[in-house]
Amino acid sequence: MTAVLGFGGYVPDRVMTNDDWAAIVDTDDEWITTRTGIKERRFAADDQSTLDLSELAALTAMKDAGLNQDDIDEIVVATDTPEVYTPDTASLLQDRLGCRNVPTYDLGGSGCAGWIQAIDVARARIAFEPKKVLVVGVELISRLISWEDRATCVLFGDAAGAVVMGPGDGKAELLDVISGTDGSKADILTLQTGGTRHPFTVESAAAGDHQRLEMKGSEVFREAVRRMSAVTLELLEKLDRPLSEVALLIPHQANKRIIDAVGHKLGIEEDKVFINVDRYGNTGSATVPLGLWEAYEQGRIKPGDLVVLTAFGAGFHWASAAMQF
Ligand code: UT7
């Protein structure tokens, strides 16, 4: 049995509203609200980095679990916006938290589904050896998006979420995880510059290519709805649990219209679907653990509740996880 021992999260203080964006690019509150449901998002302060966000979320989760740095046996960080190119953000986090020399690794590039993939990896590691694994999902996207591309810049925000997982009993049991990938869709949502195919050059930096997130929005939208609903149903079927038993669905928060369409396709009541995209925008791999932490903190999850998480992102990757509180 794999348990979640503690939940945590962190959002930076700086609020960036739709009107703030309208003062920078050719957009307005009405377009952003009707097309995405986003009203505002949080941006990290200039002196904050991915590591700072990760640390604050990790400390909340460790406190909630009643554990300190010496109790952590392994650290996984899911992020597409790491602290540095190398080494992994997780090793820097191990040092920052003052943990022992335990193994660490990042799960990078999996976009918004990365954190659910990371808890699946942690689950397998715990089954192999009883360990307490810290699993963080973090993005500091505001520093890597183009501040000139209205089609992408208004969508994202910065945040971190975390859990500590371990064997035995805890606050929730991780019942199962299902994930999948369609690598043929890699070009539909991608940031190309910086890898070996397109290394950084003076010209690419001058052209802002390192911030050029390419996204075919409507194709991503359609696939997100299709994959998140299908993988959620597949998971419930595997667990032999009807949808009516789900107390709360926490979907990836990219766009309120995507969330509504997933809810509609599943036929789940609106009040059982968690939403915070209006306040934080799309925070990539942080949306699901952040939503989980908020729902838990707000008392929206009660003992005995079946909670289902689902996410979709670049890759394309998709995943669903079920937790029994
Ligand atoms: O987390 C996984 C990654 N991302 C996603 O899941 C995002 C999935 N996609 C979406 O959420 C939506 O496709 C978007 C919100 C990105 C776009 O919404 P849409 O309804 O698909 O709009 P569109 O891309 O078809 O654009 C419609 C129009 C275009 O103008 P024209 O060509 O019709 O004249 C855009 O240029 O809206 C224009 N537009 C904007 N207008 C004002 C695009 N961005 C903006 C903007 N403000 N910020």
Side-chain angles (χ1 to χ4, degrees), residues 145-277:
I145 46 164
S146 164
W147 282 56
E148 292 169 3
D149 178 14
R150 68 175 185 174
T152 54
C153 67
V154 301
L155 305 175
F156 297 101
D158 304 334
V163 291
V164 183
M165 292 167 58
D169 290 330
K171 297 195 155 75
E173 181 187 350
L174 178 60
L175 297 175
D176 210 342
V177 182
I178 294 183
S179 58
T181 298
D182 179 358
S184 74
K185 300 284 188 343
D187 288 343
I188 294 176
L189 180 51
T190 180
L191 202 164
Q192 296 265 329
T193 303
T196 55
R197 189 187 294 176
H198 302 293
F200 291 116
T201 61
V202 173
E203 291 76 24
S204 71
D209 288 350
H210 56 295
Q211 296 175 319
R212 201 169 309 285
L213 180 70
E214 297 164 43
M215 178 171 72
K216 295 192 179 111
S218 51
E219 279 179 62
V220 178
F221 191 113
R222 270 198 308 277
E223 279 291 297
V225 173
R226 187 165 81 90
R227 295 295 188 182
M228 284 197 283
S229 15
V231 74
T232 299
L233 290 177
E234 190 185 341
L235 181 64
L236 288 171
E237 197 169 313
K238 187 174 172 207
L239 291 168
D240 199 18
R241 302 284 294 265
L243 188 78
S244 57
E245 284 186 16
V246 176
L248 191 66
L249 175 71
I250 304 181
H252 172 51
Q253 309 281 314
N255 184 326
K256 168 96 168 33
R257 289 192 295 137
I258 294 179
I259 298 168
D260 289 346
V262 170
H264 184 73
K265 227 171 156 131
L266 292 174
I268 190 168
E269 296 93 318
E270 237 176 85
D271 63 349
K272 289 185 174 176
V273 182
F274 185 84
I275 291 178
N276 64 10
V277 69

Side-chain angles (χ1 to χ4, degrees), residues 11 18 39 45 72-73 90 108 140 144 189 191 193 214 219 231 237 264 273 292 309 317:
V11 289
N18 290 347
K39 296 300 284 183
I72 301 298
D73 299 311
L140 204 162
L144 294 177
L189 180 51
L191 202 164
T193 303
E214 297 164 43
E219 279 179 62
V231 74
E237 197 169 313
H264 184 73
V273 182
L292 187 58
L309 321 173
H317 298 288

Side-chain angles (χ1 to χ4, degrees), residues 14-29 32 41 43 142 145-151 153-154:
R14 181 178 163 200
V15 176
M16 180 84 178
T17 65
N18 290 347
D19 287 340
D20 292 333
W21 268 124
I24 298 171
V25 292
D26 180 16
T27 192
D28 53 66
D29 176 54
I32 303 173
R41 68 289 288 145
F43 280 4
S142 63
I145 46 164
S146 164
W147 282 56
E148 292 169 3
D149 178 14
R150 68 175 185 174
C153 67
V154 301

